[in-house]
Amino acid sequence: MADSADVDLAGLGIVQFGFPGELRDQLVGAVLDGSKTSTTGVVADYDHEGEALPEVGERGVVVDSDERAVAVIETTEVRVVPLRDVDLAHALDEGEGYDSVAAWRRGHEEFWHSPEMRAAMDDPDFTVDDDTPLVLQRFRLVADLRGGKS
């Protein structure tokens, strides 16, 4: 991992895991301790936000709930698959303590069907099902930007 002084943040996009609060803090902590090396997004969310899907080699600045830059990650793999095809390795590498794909799915559906997600999607009835296209992203921690940590 690079020293934070050796990482150029200019031009890097912002990476936000979940919404600010307890979940984001948990996810950012898992990125920083190395237990989170994958994440999942809904293609419809990227479309709604007008954002391109992540690309291999792309780097981004991870922010915490206070919008402070705490890390730089680099995308190492991107797959678009229907929800039904999420595999156990991906679920485990999310670093959230899931021990099965079923547990991973329950946790993610709870998030995707939450009032916050539905508000973010401007759709009070937003839902996912087996056919919903997801973005499965793997990444590596490039730099820990917290002072004195590297």
Side-chain angles (χ1 to χ4, degrees):
M1 179 171 37
D3 184 282
S4 61
D6 297 331
V7 178
D8 182 8
L9 303 181
L12 297 184
I14 299 298
V15 178
Q16 300 174 338
F17 291 101
F19 298 109
E22 185 179 338
L23 177 60
R24 179 176 294 172
D25 294 339
Q26 172 193 342
L27 298 176
V28 168
V31 168
L32 291 166
D33 74 18
S35 60
K36 182 171 182 62
T37 58
S38 72
T39 193
T40 309
V42 179
V43 171
D45 188 25
Y46 285 90
D47 292 345
H48 180 264
E49 296 297 323
E51 294 179 9
L53 298 183
E55 295 183 11
V56 171
E58 185 176 81
R59 289 184 173 191
V61 178
V62 177
V63 297
D64 64 13
S65 289
D66 295 320
E67 301 298 321
R68 289 183 300 233
V70 295
V72 174
I73 59 172
E74 179 180 77
T75 300
T76 60
E77 180 183 19
V78 178
R79 296 184 292 150
V80 176
V81 303
L83 176 56
R84 77 166 72 75
D85 290 345
V86 173
D87 57 78
L88 182 59
H90 181 81
L92 295 174
D93 291 343
E94 288 241 3
E96 296 179 57
Y98 299 117
D99 60 0
S100 69
V101 173
W104 171 92
R105 183 169 175 159
R106 279 190 304 275
H108 280 71
E109 285 183 350
E110 183 178 315
F111 174 79
W112 291 325
H113 298 160
S114 70
E116 295 88 356
M117 183 66 173
R118 288 175 170 167
M121 294 293 291
D122 297 318
D123 181 352
D125 300 316
F126 179 76
T127 189
V128 297
D129 60 29
D130 277 350
D131 296 322
T132 301
L134 302 179
V135 180
L136 307 187
Q137 179 182 2
R138 290 192 170 280
F139 57 85
R140 69 181 185 91
L141 180 61
V142 174
D144 184 334
L145 302 177
R146 299 172 298 169
K149 310 261 185 187
S150 63

